[in-house]
Amino acid sequence: MTRLLTPLTLLAVLSVLSARAAEPFPAIGTLAPRHAKDIPASTWSIGGETLDRDFAVYAHYKSHLGPLGAKAIRLQAGWAKCEPTPGQPYDFKWLDAIVDDALAQGVRPWLQTSYGHPAYEGGGGHGLGGALPKEPAALAAWDKWVTALVRHYRDRVTEWEIWNEPDLDRGHNSATDYTNLFVRTATILRAEQPGAKIYALGLAGNFKFAEQFLAELKRLEKTSLMDAVTVHGYPRNPDDLGSVSNMRKMLDTYAPAAHVRQGETGAPSRNQPAFALSHIDFTETTQAKWNLRRMLAHHARGVPFNLFSIIDMHYVRDGKPTMNCKGLLASAPDQTVARVKPAYRAAQHVFTIFDADLHRAPDLTITATGADKVAATAYRRKEGTVIATWLAAAPPTDDPTPTPVTLTVTGATFTEPVLADLLTGEVHAIPRDRWSADGNTATFTAIPVYDSPILIAERAALPIGK
């Protein structure tokens, strides 16, 4: 049986430390989410993958997309779905409905050219871990589809990703195979849309494969075709950014002008028998905590981020139905939305607050005492400073017990600081006996920090409702 746990409120967490205090942390409201149309810009994206194979249905969840607040959505363009009968006119109507609706909601689609087309001999696999198109006739058909795709969407889509996880070790694909497909595909995209942003790899984690690809791309003098590399990552501790660091080092050697993007990552909401982070007793609470920490760990490094995924997906694995429960929305058997998970609300809070107007503030210095491995990053917008902090030593658990941490922030001033919990959205005032200021140095004493991100922020810097 799946355990469904309701996140404990910040008030409950605060009460653990406030029971003996003369003054509690008064509740003053909740974070007020913003619709994507009301957020001018951000680096956040949400996963809308698998629609090409009908593992999810966009129409069922589209009313939840704009209110979520992500400014982009990752989509697989689906060669086989666009060309159900080889050689016949393409059917873009299914994808048009998605792209146009997303844009109307203020959400920018980025399209992945994948997967293969089994109806063509050597046309590649129709799903995760499948073979790349390799035979001449299939590659000619692939070129034709990519050309038609970019021509059809170049007035609406400017970001393209070439294939998904070609490095999965299924014995199908070599790095040379992928290099050849990348170069021919990116060349078409650049010719048809010179200003296109092109992303490579969608790397599952095979860095030997990645280095072979990058070395070959450099040898061919084709690195200019690539604006960024997307990496995927599902470490047990969400604060582990080893994949980002490894890729950045490789790019410094082979393609310094390219940047790193997190193309796919997210936690399930229960113990599931397959897919990344399987056989772990996740709950809906730990899913939300894991996602929050994963998102903010990347944001602290300036890495654009795609959260996987907006809804649970009804995969077919080895001929059997298999749920992938990494969605922010729970999916019913008929693929409609069963309910909104805590991870959806948590993501809303991040997308609302961490927009393009909130900038990292590396000039600020933060010191923390009272716990091991406290993550803390400073941000600033014109209304004031925002500090994101959490306990980072271990993966998140369902235990809400906080640790009293003292944080000293040098380089910023506060006049009305508040505490906000990104998991629940609750906002509390910080009583005067818990913080002090000396010039441009502020000290926050015995702040309840736990294994999910909280904010210490100037009240005016947060969108707070009732």
Side-chain angles (χ1 to χ4, degrees), residues 47-65:
E49 298 87 353
T50 77
L51 300 175
D52 58 316
R53 287 151 290 156
D54 303 315
F55 296 164
V57 179
Y58 180 83
H60 291 338
Y61 67 72
K62 66 181 183 179
S63 63
H64 295 274
L65 178 61

Side-chain angles (χ1 to χ4, degrees), residues 48-58 61 74-83 94-95 98 112-116 125-128 145 163-164 313 315:
E49 298 87 353
T50 77
L51 300 175
D52 58 316
R53 287 151 290 156
D54 303 315
F55 296 164
V57 179
Y58 180 83
Y61 67 72
R74 180 182 184 237
L75 301 168
Q76 290 155 335
W79 178 21
K81 190 164 185 173
C82 293
E83 191 183 2
W94 71 276
L95 192 52
I98 298 167
Q112 182 188 89
T113 57
S114 66
Y115 283 105
H126 185 212
L128 185 65
W145 172 66
W163 209 262
N164 183 60
M313 292 151 285
Y315 278 74

